[in-house]
């Protein structure tokens, strides 16, 4: 119940914000915030959603009919809640301004141990009194239901309500919501520990502002900022602003700031196993990351939905990301990207730096060095043999073959190969050890790796490696054969001739890029559904020979899954939603990825 109450309280606060908020989350959240989410104007963001075909899809008769039962149940539950609380039925008003949430840690002065602390705020503007009635009624109900009377504390001249979460209400909700399932593995952080460490909510209203925190001290910076005093808040930090600026114009965002991440790990990783096992290798593996960020913007300049993800690396790229720090202009599609392609990705990667990267990772951890050190000569020989002939451009192509069968979807990775002869010498020497069997195909060489699935005891599709046309191809055998069949034939029609592809790619910004891509994700969804059904039916037919009872159970599960999938009408989605495209660019301090989701070209 504790988690439910915390979540409910935070949710209500986040749904409560005015159109012209005086404060934003970074002006109020503690300076040592580790995770922050916020929107400077939730109401405006909601208005932007209503201008998109995504909203028109939601309001379509088909979706309204599909969700009618669920929505009616939600409306009934809300009405019951309003009646029990004794408030007006419009008390929970849609958001209309700034709101935010932050997670940080505080240190116990006596023990020196770190614990998790939370902070949330919302500015409710002219509707503050109505919202205050809802919050007060919510608190009063908790008191009445549990025969409690909450205390009050004084902080900087304000009265703060101390809402203690009744422990006896916790166990049943833990079981119902599955929070206890997160713990028990010494190599994984106990996610449930985040709310386990929250036993009290400190709440107050300050004019139109509503603030809540898990510790009284977590309210102090916000109140000092409200009073116009110098306060230790998140907005004082350069890393926050630089990471936030990399996201650009967004309606809402989230950031994970790593400066104090060690304190968070100490709070949730009581055994210390995670930090001991991987802590020393993380920087060698991924470099020194200052922040990870996500933002979204609806009804944007070029797309219905613009999503931005950022990796902020203030000391430059390191680890695996250093191998991706290479920008080139967008180029024409290779000839093997045909009309059957439903997705395409182009990424730059420095294969000539792979060996040094692996050395650094192994040497960063004494346990890894002890285990792999003696094997380094063999590792170096293999990596040099594989990587030295390769270039720096990779392509990933997803295709479909009709009529739809179990093997209709194929994926092929194509890597620029500057020295095919040298690479083939490497494959001849090492291929037998990997279970590769060579065969000729239209003047090219294909190495089949069917033994891979057999060795794993799994029924995997045939996998092949092909060499030809200046590329190394790796993927399903059908896909590799098709790629080799069309490589170099530039006169063939391809994905580049597709109007939807051109529309999606044209929406991307011009300039140098680390990578870029396109996806007809709705067709992919539709075909994936059909392939899954055919594959499952084939598995059932095979199972009937060995275990009819198990086959019957699988058939029943397939029918249940089919009923759910049938409700997802891809043709309906295609009336409103268009293709997707994305690009990644490198900055002086990290990477920025932009993903665009377009409206359907003829959206209603």
């Amino acid at each position: 119940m504790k988690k439910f109450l915390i979540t409910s309280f935070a949710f209500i606060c986040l749904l409560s914000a005015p159109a012209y908020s005086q404060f934003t989350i970074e002006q109020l959240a503690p300076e040592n915030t580790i995770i922050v989410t916020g929107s400077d104007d939730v109401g405006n963001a909601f208005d932007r959603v209503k201008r998109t075909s995504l909203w028109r899809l939601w309001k379509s008769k088909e979706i309204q009919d599909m969700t009618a039962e669920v929505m009616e149940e939600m409306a009934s539950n809300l009405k019951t809640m309003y009646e029990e609380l004794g408030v007006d039925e419009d008390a929970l008003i849609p958001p209309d301004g700034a709101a935010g949430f932050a997670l940080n840690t505080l240190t116990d002065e006596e023990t020196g141990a770190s614990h998790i602390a939370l902070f949330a705020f919302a500015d409710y503007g002219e509707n503050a009194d109505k919202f205050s009635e809802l919050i007060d009624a919510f608190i009063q109900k908790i008191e009445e239901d549990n025969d409690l009377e909450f205390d009050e504390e004084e902080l900087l001249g304000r009265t703060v309500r101390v809402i203690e979460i009744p422990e006896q209400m916790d166990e049943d909700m833990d079981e119902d919501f599955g929070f206890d399932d997160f713990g028990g593995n010494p190599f994984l952080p106990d996610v449930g520990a985040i709310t386990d460490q929250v036993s009290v909510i400190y709440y107050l209203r300050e004019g139109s502002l509503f603030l809540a925190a898990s510790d009284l001290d977590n309210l102090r910076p916000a109140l000092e900022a409200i009073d116009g005093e110098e306060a230790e808040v998140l907005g004082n930090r350069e890393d926050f602003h630089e990471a936030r600026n990399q996201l650009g114009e967004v309606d809402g965002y989230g950031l994970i700031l790593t400066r104090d991440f060690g304190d968070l790990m100490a709070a949730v990783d009581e055994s210390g196993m995670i930090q001991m096992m991987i802590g020393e290798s993380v920087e060698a593996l991924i470099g020194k990351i200052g922040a990870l960020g996500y933002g979204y913007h609806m009804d944007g300049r070029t797309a219905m939905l613009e999503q931005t993800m950022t990796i902020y690396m203030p000391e430059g790229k390191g680890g695996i990301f250093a191998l991706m720090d290479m920008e080139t202009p967008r180029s024409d599609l290779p000839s093997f990207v045909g009309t059957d392609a439903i997705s395409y990705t182009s990424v730059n990667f420095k294969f000539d730096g792979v060996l040094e990267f692996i050395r650094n990772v192994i040497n960063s951890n004494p346990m890894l060095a002890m285990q792999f050190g003696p094997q380094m000569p063999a590792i170096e020989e293999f990596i040099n043999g594989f990587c030295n002939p390769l270039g720096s451009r990779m392509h990933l192509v997803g295709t479909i073959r009709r009529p739809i069968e179990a093997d209709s979807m194929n994926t092929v990775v194509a890597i620029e190969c500057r020295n095919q002869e040298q690479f083939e010498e490497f494959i001849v020497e090492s291929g037998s050890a990997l279970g590769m069997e060579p065969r000729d195909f239209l003047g090219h060489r294909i190495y089949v790796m069917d033994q891979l699935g057999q060795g794993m005891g799994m029924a995997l599709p045939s996998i092949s490696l092909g060499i030809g046309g200046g590329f190394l191809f790796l993927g399903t055998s059908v896909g590799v054969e098709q790629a080799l069949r069309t490589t170099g034939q530039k006169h063939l029609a391809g994905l580049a001739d597709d109007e939807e592809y051109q529309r999606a790619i044209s929406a991307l910004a011009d300039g140098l890029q680390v990578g870029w891509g396109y996806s007809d994700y709705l067709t992919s969804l539709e075909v994936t559904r059909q392939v899954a059904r055919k594959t499952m039916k084939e598995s059932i037919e095979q199972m009937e020979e060995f275990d009819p009872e198990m086959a019957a159970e699988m058939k029943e599960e397939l029918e249940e899954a089919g009923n759910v999938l049938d409700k997802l009408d891809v043709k309906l989605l295609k009336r409103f939603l268009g293709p997707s495209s994305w690009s990644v660019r490198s900055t002086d301090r990290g990477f920025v990825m932009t993903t665009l989701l377009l409206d359907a070209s003829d959206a209603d």
Side-chain angles (χ1 to χ4, degrees), residues 2 5-6 9 115-119 150-153 160-167 194-203 212-216 218-219:
K2 178 194 303 181
L5 292 174
I6 293 170
F9 195 82
H115 68 274
I116 290 169
L118 309 176
F119 172 83
F150 295 134
D151 294 330
E152 296 179 345
E153 296 267 5
V160 180
R161 300 289 301 273
V162 184
I163 307 171
E164 297 182 14
I165 309 302
E167 288 292 336
I194 294 178
T195 48
D196 281 337
Q197 296 182 34
V198 177
S199 59
V200 178
I201 296 176
Y202 295 87
Y203 155 74
S214 61
D215 291 75
L216 191 62
N218 245 27
L219 289 174

Side-chain angles (χ1 to χ4, degrees), residues 3 170-171 174-175 177-184 190 192 196:
K3 285 83 173 180
D170 190 42
E171 295 183 2
D174 276 354
E175 183 176 348
F177 283 86
F179 287 102
D180 290 336
D181 295 338
F182 291 111
D190 184 359
D196 281 337

Side-chain angles (χ1 to χ4, degrees), residues 441-593:
F441 181 79
L442 300 178
H444 305 295
R445 182 76 73 177
I446 287 181
Y447 294 84
V448 183
M449 297 183 287
D450 288 347
Q451 294 182 10
L452 177 65
Q454 297 172 7
M456 298 171 63
M458 300 171 61
L460 297 178
S462 176
I463 303 296
S464 292
L465 183 152
I467 305 170
F471 291 97
L472 158 66
F473 296 100
L474 179 63
T476 57
S477 295
V478 173
V480 170
E481 289 178 359
Q482 179 62 13
L484 287 172
R485 188 178 290 115
T486 57
T487 185
Q489 300 185 39
K490 297 184 179 181
H491 64 282
L492 296 176
L495 178 62
D497 301 307
D498 185 87
E499 291 183 1
E500 287 294 271
Y501 166 80
Q502 290 294 342
R503 187 166 72 94
I505 295 302
S506 298
L508 295 172
D510 294 325
L512 301 178
Q513 296 166 350
V514 173
W516 56 280
Y518 159 85
S519 176
D520 179 0
Y521 60 94
L522 290 178
T523 297
S524 177
L525 174 64
E526 183 179 27
V527 176
T528 298
R529 181 172 61 182
Q530 296 177 44
V531 168
R533 282 180 173 172
K534 288 182 175 292
T535 302
M536 189 66 170
K537 287 182 179 179
E538 291 180 2
S539 299
I540 292 173
E541 291 173 358
Q542 295 173 6
M543 181 62 67
E544 285 177 340
E545 298 181 12
F546 304 100
D547 191 339
E549 185 176 342
M550 176 64 74
E553 293 179 5
M554 293 173 63
K555 187 175 182 179
E556 184 178 347
E557 292 176 359
L558 176 61
E559 291 175 352
E560 292 178 357
N563 291 335
V564 174
L565 292 174
D566 287 340
K567 293 182 179 180
L568 187 60
D569 186 349
V570 176
K571 291 182 179 179
L572 170 64
L573 299 181
K574 286 186 174 183
R575 277 173 42 198
F576 297 91
L577 307 181
S580 175
S581 58
W582 61 269
S583 65
V584 177
R585 60 184 177 86
S586 177
T587 71
D588 292 338
R589 299 196 169 190
F591 296 93
V592 176
M593 177 177 183

